Amino acid sequence: MVTFAACNTSVAVAANTSIQGSVVIDSWRNDDAVWANTIIPAFNKHYPNIKVKYRAPTDPSTFNGQLAKDLAEGTAGDLIACRPFDASLSLFKQGYFSDITEIAGMENFPSFALGPWQTDSGAQTFCLPMASVIHGFFYNKTVFKELGINAPTTTAQFARVLERVKQNGNYVPLAIGTKDKWEAATMGFQNVGPNYWKGEDGRLALISGTERFSDKAYQQTFEQLASWQPYLGQGYQQRGYNDSIALFKSGKAAIFPAGSWDISTFDSSIELGVFRPPVEQAKGECYFSDHTDLGMGLNSKAKNDPAANAFLHWMTTAEFAELITNSLPGFFSLSNHFIDVKNPIAAEMMAWRDECDSTIRNSAQILSRGKPELEGQLWQTSVGVLNGTLTPKQAAQTIQQGLVSWYEPQKNAKSALVCQ
């Protein structure tokens, strides 16, 4: 059990029976049971006369389209889960999210947590920070014990582990596929990449134009992905995200390139272990993705709704921070409140913050505002590299060409394409 976050003054929420009404929360996450059984009942102890409904699609991939339709028709929820940076910023600029800069309790969030849900100037905040997620690798401890292997820390050790599992022949070394595309980019490229581009330094250098996707760090990242291909098992091109989950959960795969959001998916099914993204040098610097993933926005139509504002205000408290962290293991509160992290895998991943520098996904801020957007290109190129239809050099140059076509700070990078 690990305690994290700095001490800060929590906002007391007294029981209030005078506020009545209903609140609908829209989210892409299928956490209905946790909200219905844990989070909403805790809120109702303070506000017993407010009825809260948590609403999420069966297929999370449909959320964006449905939300756009509901916002346009005025039927979207009173509170809306926010992705970080540009997607939510666009909704704010369109007038769908309220400015919540001055709401009580906002002082409980540090500047790095607020940044993903602020305007570029930082003058306005449009979503309340909720949680970050961490990237790494889950592994089946039972399989590792059977094969006499340990969790790797370096890329060389990682390669030897994959080869050992493959030679055994009883398990798929890596449970990841390319059917759903995002999986290859999010749990592949964005997982191992920070160790090559040096975390935040590299991410910000792309934004400023002082580094390029055609530089060595990004080709090395794709080379690491390419090295996975022999270890993905038969039919991985038709394997979707849920198929990868089922494969690892069944005990038939050794390693699952992971996001912390899936801790509870596997926690009770196998003997679960976790290791950091491997580094080139055993005693070198290490980086990992600690992505500011989830916020909550106030629908502009509910700006003056006492019930919706009461719920959003309660979300700034230590009580909510503890609930979100421990009811949804792998989602780490972005507040300053002290929290005991009870899940051992979540606690281990969170402890990486004491060992390594963290960053966020480099496609999240600014670089996906134009066409072609970086996020979409990363899906395509990561899949291409894993499928062997693109070389790492081709993948890196494809993305650089995309950025050069629309992003002004990268336009002077055209010459780098020739040099490569």
Side-chain angles (χ1 to χ4, degrees):
M1 185 166 68
V2 173
T3 301
F4 77 98
C7 184
N8 204 338
T9 304
S10 63
V11 179
V13 180
N16 189 327
T17 59
S18 64
I19 300 178
Q20 302 183 20
S22 61
V23 177
V24 174
I25 300 172
D26 279 342
S27 176
W28 66 88
R29 285 205 48 83
N30 302 131
D31 299 320
D32 309 56
V34 171
W35 282 80
N37 299 329
T38 303
I39 296 175
I40 294 171
F43 169 76
N44 282 146
K45 290 180 180 178
H46 303 282
Y47 295 93
N49 295 326
I50 298 177
K51 183 178 180 180
V52 183
K53 179 181 180 181
Y54 182 86
R55 193 167 61 180
T58 302
D59 180 359
S61 68
T62 66
F63 177 77
N64 287 358
Q66 186 63 50
L67 177 61
K69 179 175 181 292
D70 291 346
L71 287 169
E73 295 176 353
T75 58
D78 305 291
L79 297 173
I80 301 169
C82 304
R83 290 186 169 93
F85 294 109
D86 296 343
S88 295
L89 176 61
S90 175
L91 294 178
F92 175 65
K93 288 181 175 179
Q94 294 176 64
Y96 291 126
F97 282 148
S98 300
D99 184 339
I100 59 172
T101 309
E102 301 297 331
I103 70 165
M106 197 63 83
E107 67 274 10
N108 290 331
F109 299 91
S111 58
F112 84 87
L114 293 168
W117 294 285
Q118 290 180 324
T119 52
D120 288 350
S121 67
Q124 294 173 291
T125 302
F126 47 84
C127 291
L128 188 77
M130 286 176 64
S132 69
V133 292
I134 294 175
H135 288 293
F137 292 83
F138 293 157
Y139 69 97
N140 187 320
K141 286 186 174 181
T142 303
V143 173
F144 272 44
K145 289 175 185 175
E146 177 189 331
L147 301 184
I149 51 181
N150 298 316
T153 58
T154 68
T155 53
Q157 291 171 355
F158 186 52
R160 288 196 291 270
V161 165
L162 294 178
E163 185 62 23
R164 176 74 179 88
V165 177
K166 182 182 179 183
Q167 290 301 319
N168 172 263
N170 291 326
Y171 307 98
V172 173
L174 279 172
I176 188 171
T178 57
K179 180 182 177 181
D180 289 342
K181 296 184 179 180
W182 72 269
E183 189 181 359
T186 303
M187 279 113 87
F189 183 89
Q190 299 286 8
N191 193 347
V192 300
N195 276 321
Y196 293 103
W197 62 71
K198 308 302 181 186
E200 279 293 274
D201 286 346
R203 186 182 76 85
L204 295 174
L206 285 178
I207 292 174
S208 69
T210 57
E211 291 184 7
R212 306 167 175 87
F213 251 95
S214 50
D215 290 342
K216 182 179 179 181
Y218 302 94
Q219 186 165 317
Q220 286 179 313
T221 302
F222 282 122
E223 287 170 354
Q224 176 63 210
L225 287 193
S227 74
W228 293 5
Q229 189 182 16
Y231 306 107
L232 303 181
Q234 291 185 346
Y236 71 88
Q237 299 91 339
Q238 286 75 49
R239 187 187 303 150
Y241 175 56
N242 289 331
D243 301 319
S244 298
I245 287 175
L247 180 64
F248 186 64
K249 199 171 185 177
S250 70
K252 296 177 181 178
I255 300 171
F256 182 79
S260 60
W261 62 85
D262 270 328
I263 288 174
S264 58
T265 303
F266 304 116
D267 225 5
S268 59
S269 56
I270 61 174
E271 189 180 1
L272 188 66
V274 65
F275 59 87
R276 282 194 280 105
V279 294
E280 292 287 304
Q281 303 296 327
K283 295 184 179 180
E285 296 176 330
C286 56
Y287 302 84
F288 69 102
S289 177
D290 189 355
H291 189 67
T292 45
D293 184 64
L294 182 62
M296 189 67 76
L298 177 65
N299 192 328
S300 55
K301 74 172 187 177
K303 179 179 180 180
N304 299 313
D305 182 347
N309 277 274
F311 197 96
L312 192 67
H313 173 60
W314 178 72
M315 291 178 67
T316 70
T317 66
E319 181 181 19
F320 178 78
E322 191 280 330
L323 286 172
I324 197 74
T325 298
N326 287 319
S327 298
L328 295 171
F331 285 84
F332 305 97
S333 171
L334 288 167
S335 74
N336 280 333
H337 300 295
F338 279 120
I339 300 167
D340 288 331
V341 181
K342 298 175 182 177
N343 182 281
I345 298 295
E348 185 173 351
M349 297 182 83
M350 193 200 65
W352 297 346
R353 294 172 177 173
D354 299 325
E355 306 166 3
C356 309
D357 290 334
S358 63
T359 185
I360 62 172
R361 298 171 200 155
N362 60 13
S363 57
Q365 185 182 27
I366 298 177
L367 298 181
S368 289
R369 290 181 183 177
K371 298 296 181 183
E373 64 169 10
L374 177 57
E375 179 70 12
Q377 282 204 302
L378 285 175
W379 289 20
Q380 298 294 338
T381 52
S382 297
V383 165
V385 168
L386 284 176
N387 285 347
T389 59
L390 282 177
T391 67
K393 181 178 179 179
Q394 289 171 333
Q397 290 187 343
T398 296
I399 292 179
Q400 182 61 25
Q401 288 171 335
L403 284 176
V404 166
S405 71
W406 69 269
Y407 187 55
E408 195 63 36
Q410 286 288 343
K411 284 187 179 295
N412 64 353
K414 291 182 180 178
S415 59
L417 300 175
V418 178
C419 297
Q420 294 294 320

